PDB file of all heavy atoms in Angstrom:
ATOM      1  N   LYS B  66      97.166 129.310  91.500  1.00 93.00           N
ATOM      2  CA  LYS B  66      96.604 128.945  90.198  1.00 93.00           C
ATOM      3  C   LYS B  66      95.878 127.603  90.264  1.00 93.00           C
ATOM      4  O   LYS B  66      94.733 127.470  89.857  1.00 93.00           O
ATOM      5  CB  LYS B  66      97.725 128.883  89.146  1.00 93.00           C
ATOM      6  CG  LYS B  66      98.560 130.142  89.046  1.00 93.00           C
ATOM      7  CD  LYS B  66      99.633 130.040  87.970  1.00 93.00           C
ATOM      8  CE  LYS B  66     100.621 128.916  88.160  1.00 93.00           C
ATOM      9  NZ  LYS B  66     101.560 129.099  89.281  1.00 93.00           N
ATOM     10  N   SER B  67      96.593 126.590  90.794  1.00 94.00           N
ATOM     11  CA  SER B  67      95.983 125.257  90.843  1.00 94.00           C
ATOM     12  C   SER B  67      94.787 125.237  91.783  1.00 94.00           C
ATOM     13  O   SER B  67      93.739 124.684  91.456  1.00 94.00           O
ATOM     14  CB  SER B  67      96.994 124.217  91.330  1.00 94.00           C
ATOM     15  OG  SER B  67      98.102 124.184  90.490  1.00 94.00           O
ATOM     16  N   GLN B 117      99.486 118.279  85.933  1.00 86.00           N
ATOM     17  CA  GLN B 117     100.878 118.593  85.662  1.00 86.00           C
ATOM     18  C   GLN B 117     101.740 117.374  85.364  1.00 86.00           C
ATOM     19  O   GLN B 117     102.386 117.294  84.337  1.00 86.00           O
ATOM     20  CB  GLN B 117     101.457 119.340  86.860  1.00 86.00           C
ATOM     21  CG  GLN B 117     102.947 119.556  86.765  1.00 86.00           C
ATOM     22  CD  GLN B 117     103.427 120.531  87.815  1.00 86.00           C
ATOM     23  OE1 GLN B 117     102.623 121.135  88.514  1.00 86.00           O
ATOM     24  NE2 GLN B 117     104.714 120.699  87.920  1.00 86.00           N
ATOM     25  N   ASP B 199      96.414 122.066  83.881  1.00 92.00           N
ATOM     26  CA  ASP B 199      97.218 122.644  84.962  1.00 92.00           C
ATOM     27  C   ASP B 199      98.686 122.304  84.754  1.00 92.00           C
ATOM     28  O   ASP B 199      99.124 121.213  85.060  1.00 92.00           O
ATOM     29  CB  ASP B 199      96.718 122.112  86.314  1.00 92.00           C
ATOM     30  CG  ASP B 199      97.391 122.819  87.484  1.00 92.00           C
ATOM     31  OD1 ASP B 199      98.280 123.659  87.240  1.00 92.00           O
ATOM     32  OD2 ASP B 199      97.031 122.516  88.634  1.00 92.00           O
ATOM     33  N   GLU B 200      99.430 123.235  84.226  1.00 89.00           N
ATOM     34  CA  GLU B 200     100.854 123.058  83.907  1.00 89.00           C
ATOM     35  C   GLU B 200     101.117 121.731  83.199  1.00 89.00           C
ATOM     36  O   GLU B 200     101.978 120.957  83.619  1.00 89.00           O
ATOM     37  CB  GLU B 200     101.706 123.130  85.190  1.00 89.00           C
ATOM     38  CG  GLU B 200     101.347 124.337  86.031  1.00 89.00           C
ATOM     39  CD  GLU B 200     102.555 125.043  86.592  1.00 89.00           C
ATOM     40  OE1 GLU B 200     103.670 124.832  86.070  1.00 89.00           O
ATOM     41  OE2 GLU B 200     102.378 125.833  87.530  1.00 89.00           O
ATOM     42  N   ILE B 231      96.995 126.683  82.614  1.00 94.00           N
ATOM     43  CA  ILE B 231      97.722 127.226  83.756  1.00 94.00           C
ATOM     44  C   ILE B 231      99.205 126.968  83.568  1.00 94.00           C
ATOM     45  O   ILE B 231      99.609 125.862  83.200  1.00 94.00           O
ATOM     46  CB  ILE B 231      97.229 126.548  85.054  1.00 94.00           C
ATOM     47  CG1 ILE B 231      95.750 126.894  85.287  1.00 94.00           C
ATOM     48  CG2 ILE B 231      98.085 126.979  86.240  1.00 94.00           C
ATOM     49  CD1 ILE B 231      95.134 126.149  86.448  1.00 94.00           C
TER      50      ILE B 231
HETATM   51 MG1   MG C1885     100.093 124.427  90.540  1.00 59.25          MG
END
Side-chain angles (χ1 to χ4, degrees):
Chain B
K66 306 181 301 290
S67 301
Q117 172 168 353
D199 188 356
E200 311 223 18
I231 296 173

